[in-house]
Amino acid sequence: MKMWQVLAYGKGFLRANREAGFCLEGFVYADSSNEAFARAIALAKRDWPEIAQAEQGDFPRPVINADEIDEFKNEVNGVEEGVELIWDEQEAVPWIFR
């Protein structure tokens, strides 16, 4: 397995009755970049179950997009697998047409 650094953004999640987005960043072990992204999301769901909203079948639905997934080519010592998620709470602002 290889170590990957993952950076992703989420948008359109319902959290505390408000629409919110987030930034996810962390390090995971996986065989490929796709597996690294999936692993990062799985780890994040442990602490923030509301991001499972992105798995809904209906549209529109919240989304999680990978921004960067970088493989560490050199051996990395002392770095543990884990992710951090920072919510960006946003109040929905209605469009006003005049």
Side-chain angles (χ1 to χ4, degrees):
M1 284 209 184
K2 303 170 188 172
M3 173 165 270
W4 302 82
Q5 182 177 17
V6 177
L7 176 62
Y9 294 96
K11 183 178 178 184
F13 289 82
L14 185 61
R15 185 166 194 257
N17 294 322
R18 296 174 119 182
E19 186 174 318
F22 62 80
C23 174
L24 179 148
E25 186 173 12
F27 296 92
V28 296
Y29 289 99
D31 290 324
S32 70
S33 59
N34 287 338
E35 289 176 16
F37 181 66
R39 176 76 178 145
I41 300 302
L43 288 174
K45 277 194 251 183
R46 291 180 182 175
D47 292 325
W48 302 280
E50 54 267 57
I51 69 170
Q53 295 171 31
E55 298 167 359
Q56 298 174 12
D58 299 340
F59 289 98
R61 66 175 176 232
V63 295
I64 304 171
N65 292 308
D67 188 44
E68 290 185 37
I69 303 174
D70 296 316
E71 177 188 348
F72 277 78
K73 302 268 185 204
N74 299 326
E75 186 174 326
V76 180
N77 294 321
V79 177
E80 294 184 25
E81 184 177 62
V83 296
E84 180 179 354
L85 192 141
I86 300 170
W87 288 97
D88 178 5
E89 305 289 337
Q90 301 168 347
E91 251 187 82
V93 179
W95 289 90
I96 299 173
F97 295 101
R98 295 180 190 222

Short mmCIF file of all heavy atoms in Angstrom, two decimals, residues 47-70:
data_model
loop_
_atom_site.label_atom_id
_atom_site.label_comp_id
_atom_site.label_asym_id
_atom_site.label_seq_id
_atom_site.Cartn_x
_atom_site.Cartn_y
_atom_site.Cartn_z
N ASP A 47 -16.78 10.18 12.02
CA ASP A 47 -16.97 11.32 12.91
C ASP A 47 -18.06 12.27 12.45
O ASP A 47 -18.61 13.02 13.25
CB ASP A 47 -15.66 12.10 13.06
CG ASP A 47 -14.61 11.32 13.81
OD1 ASP A 47 -14.95 10.57 14.74
OD2 ASP A 47 -13.42 11.46 13.47
N TRP A 48 -18.35 12.28 11.16
CA TRP A 48 -19.34 13.20 10.60
C TRP A 48 -20.31 12.40 9.72
O TRP A 48 -20.23 12.43 8.49
CB TRP A 48 -18.64 14.29 9.78
CG TRP A 48 -17.67 15.06 10.59
CD1 TRP A 48 -17.94 16.08 11.47
CD2 TRP A 48 -16.25 14.88 10.64
NE1 TRP A 48 -16.78 16.53 12.03
CE2 TRP A 48 -15.73 15.82 11.55
CE3 TRP A 48 -15.36 14.01 9.99
CZ2 TRP A 48 -14.38 15.90 11.83
CZ3 TRP A 48 -14.02 14.10 10.27
CH2 TRP A 48 -13.53 15.04 11.18
N PRO A 49 -21.26 11.67 10.34
CA PRO A 49 -22.16 10.81 9.56
C PRO A 49 -23.04 11.57 8.57
O PRO A 49 -23.52 10.98 7.60
CB PRO A 49 -23.01 10.12 10.63
CG PRO A 49 -22.86 10.93 11.87
CD PRO A 49 -21.54 11.63 11.77
N GLU A 50 -23.20 12.87 8.75
CA GLU A 50 -24.04 13.63 7.83
C GLU A 50 -23.47 13.69 6.41
O GLU A 50 -24.20 13.97 5.47
CB GLU A 50 -24.34 15.04 8.36
CG GLU A 50 -23.16 15.88 8.73
CD GLU A 50 -22.76 15.78 10.19
OE1 GLU A 50 -22.49 14.69 10.67
OE2 GLU A 50 -22.68 16.82 10.84
N ILE A 51 -22.20 13.38 6.22
CA ILE A 51 -21.68 13.41 4.85
C ILE A 51 -22.17 12.22 4.03
O ILE A 51 -21.99 12.20 2.82
CB ILE A 51 -20.15 13.55 4.79
CG1 ILE A 51 -19.44 12.31 5.28
CG2 ILE A 51 -19.68 14.79 5.52
CD1 ILE A 51 -17.95 12.35 4.99
N ALA A 52 -22.84 11.27 4.68
CA ALA A 52 -23.47 10.18 3.94
C ALA A 52 -24.63 10.69 3.07
O ALA A 52 -25.12 9.96 2.20
CB ALA A 52 -23.97 9.10 4.89
N GLN A 53 -25.04 11.94 3.27
CA GLN A 53 -26.09 12.53 2.44
C GLN A 53 -25.70 12.52 0.96
O GLN A 53 -26.56 12.52 0.09
CB GLN A 53 -26.38 13.97 2.87
CG GLN A 53 -26.96 14.10 4.25
CD GLN A 53 -27.02 15.56 4.69
OE1 GLN A 53 -27.17 16.48 3.89
NE2 GLN A 53 -26.89 15.78 6.00
N ALA A 54 -24.42 12.50 0.68
CA ALA A 54 -23.94 12.50 -0.71
C ALA A 54 -24.27 11.19 -1.42
O ALA A 54 -24.18 11.11 -2.64
CB ALA A 54 -22.44 12.75 -0.76
N GLU A 55 -24.67 10.17 -0.68
CA GLU A 55 -25.00 8.86 -1.26
C GLU A 55 -26.46 8.73 -1.63
O GLU A 55 -26.89 7.69 -2.11
CB GLU A 55 -24.61 7.76 -0.28
CG GLU A 55 -23.12 7.75 0.02
CD GLU A 55 -22.76 6.88 1.21
OE1 GLU A 55 -23.67 6.29 1.84
OE2 GLU A 55 -21.57 6.79 1.51
N GLN A 56 -27.25 9.78 -1.41
CA GLN A 56 -28.67 9.75 -1.76
C GLN A 56 -28.85 9.54 -3.25
O GLN A 56 -28.02 9.98 -4.05
CB GLN A 56 -29.35 11.06 -1.38
CG GLN A 56 -29.34 11.38 0.08
CD GLN A 56 -29.90 12.78 0.33
OE1 GLN A 56 -30.49 13.41 -0.54
NE2 GLN A 56 -29.71 13.27 1.54
N GLY A 57 -29.93 8.92 -3.63
CA GLY A 57 -30.18 8.69 -5.04
C GLY A 57 -30.89 9.85 -5.73
O GLY A 57 -30.85 9.97 -6.94
N ASP A 58 -31.53 10.70 -4.96
CA ASP A 58 -32.31 11.80 -5.53
C ASP A 58 -31.41 12.99 -5.88
O ASP A 58 -30.38 13.21 -5.27
CB ASP A 58 -33.38 12.27 -4.54
CG ASP A 58 -34.37 11.17 -4.20
OD1 ASP A 58 -34.48 10.21 -4.96
OD2 ASP A 58 -35.03 11.29 -3.15
N PHE A 59 -31.87 13.76 -6.88
CA PHE A 59 -31.19 15.00 -7.24
C PHE A 59 -32.10 16.15 -6.90
O PHE A 59 -33.31 16.02 -6.98
CB PHE A 59 -30.88 15.01 -8.75
CG PHE A 59 -29.79 14.06 -9.13
CD1 PHE A 59 -30.10 12.81 -9.65
CD2 PHE A 59 -28.47 14.39 -8.95
CE1 PHE A 59 -29.10 11.93 -10.01
CE2 PHE A 59 -27.46 13.51 -9.31
CZ PHE A 59 -27.77 12.28 -9.84
N PRO A 60 -31.64 17.31 -6.54
CA PRO A 60 -30.22 17.60 -6.28
C PRO A 60 -29.81 16.96 -4.96
O PRO A 60 -30.62 16.77 -4.06
CB PRO A 60 -30.16 19.12 -6.20
CG PRO A 60 -31.53 19.51 -5.72
CD PRO A 60 -32.48 18.48 -6.29
N ARG A 61 -28.54 16.65 -4.86
CA ARG A 61 -28.00 16.07 -3.64
C ARG A 61 -26.64 16.70 -3.35
O ARG A 61 -26.01 17.25 -4.26
CB ARG A 61 -27.88 14.56 -3.76
CG ARG A 61 -26.86 14.12 -4.78
CD ARG A 61 -26.70 12.59 -4.76
NE ARG A 61 -25.79 12.18 -5.80
CZ ARG A 61 -26.05 11.25 -6.69
NH1 ARG A 61 -27.20 10.61 -6.66
NH2 ARG A 61 -25.16 10.92 -7.60
N PRO A 62 -26.20 16.60 -2.11
CA PRO A 62 -24.87 17.12 -1.79
C PRO A 62 -23.79 16.37 -2.56
O PRO A 62 -23.97 15.22 -2.95
CB PRO A 62 -24.73 16.84 -0.29
CG PRO A 62 -26.12 16.62 0.20
CD PRO A 62 -26.88 16.06 -0.95
N VAL A 63 -22.66 17.04 -2.77
CA VAL A 63 -21.56 16.43 -3.52
C VAL A 63 -20.25 16.56 -2.75
O VAL A 63 -20.07 17.49 -1.97
CB VAL A 63 -21.39 17.06 -4.92
CG1 VAL A 63 -22.60 16.79 -5.79
CG2 VAL A 63 -21.11 18.54 -4.82
N ILE A 64 -19.36 15.62 -3.01
CA ILE A 64 -17.99 15.68 -2.49
C ILE A 64 -17.07 15.52 -3.69
O ILE A 64 -17.16 14.54 -4.43
CB ILE A 64 -17.72 14.56 -1.47
CG1 ILE A 64 -18.74 14.60 -0.33
CG2 ILE A 64 -16.29 14.69 -0.93
CD1 ILE A 64 -18.67 13.40 0.59
N ASN A 65 -16.21 16.50 -3.90
CA ASN A 65 -15.29 16.48 -5.02
C ASN A 65 -13.85 16.46 -4.54
O ASN A 65 -13.48 17.24 -3.65
CB ASN A 65 -15.50 17.72 -5.92
CG ASN A 65 -16.82 17.68 -6.62
OD1 ASN A 65 -17.17 16.70 -7.27
ND2 ASN A 65 -17.58 18.76 -6.48
N ALA A 66 -13.06 15.59 -5.13
CA ALA A 66 -11.64 15.55 -4.81
C ALA A 66 -10.97 16.73 -5.50
O ALA A 66 -11.21 16.99 -6.67
CB ALA A 66 -11.03 14.25 -5.28
N ASP A 67 -10.14 17.44 -4.77
CA ASP A 67 -9.37 18.53 -5.35
C ASP A 67 -7.96 18.07 -5.68
O ASP A 67 -7.47 18.31 -6.77
CB ASP A 67 -9.34 19.72 -4.39
CG ASP A 67 -8.74 20.95 -5.01
OD1 ASP A 67 -9.08 21.25 -6.17
OD2 ASP A 67 -7.92 21.61 -4.35
N GLU A 68 -7.33 17.38 -4.73
CA GLU A 68 -5.99 16.84 -4.94
C GLU A 68 -5.86 15.49 -4.24
O GLU A 68 -6.33 15.33 -3.13
CB GLU A 68 -4.91 17.77 -4.37
CG GLU A 68 -4.74 19.05 -5.12
CD GLU A 68 -3.57 19.87 -4.58
OE1 GLU A 68 -2.55 19.25 -4.19
OE2 GLU A 68 -3.70 21.08 -4.54
N ILE A 69 -5.21 14.57 -4.91
CA ILE A 69 -4.86 13.29 -4.31
C ILE A 69 -3.42 13.02 -4.74
O ILE A 69 -3.16 12.73 -5.90
CB ILE A 69 -5.79 12.15 -4.79
CG1 ILE A 69 -7.25 12.50 -4.48
CG2 ILE A 69 -5.40 10.83 -4.12
CD1 ILE A 69 -8.26 11.52 -5.03
N ASP A 70 -2.52 13.20 -3.79
CA ASP A 70 -1.09 13.10 -4.10
C ASP A 70 -0.48 11.89 -3.40
O ASP A 70 -0.65 11.71 -2.20
CB ASP A 70 -0.36 14.36 -3.65
CG ASP A 70 -0.83 15.59 -4.39
OD1 ASP A 70 -0.98 15.50 -5.62
OD2 ASP A 70 -1.04 16.64 -3.74
#
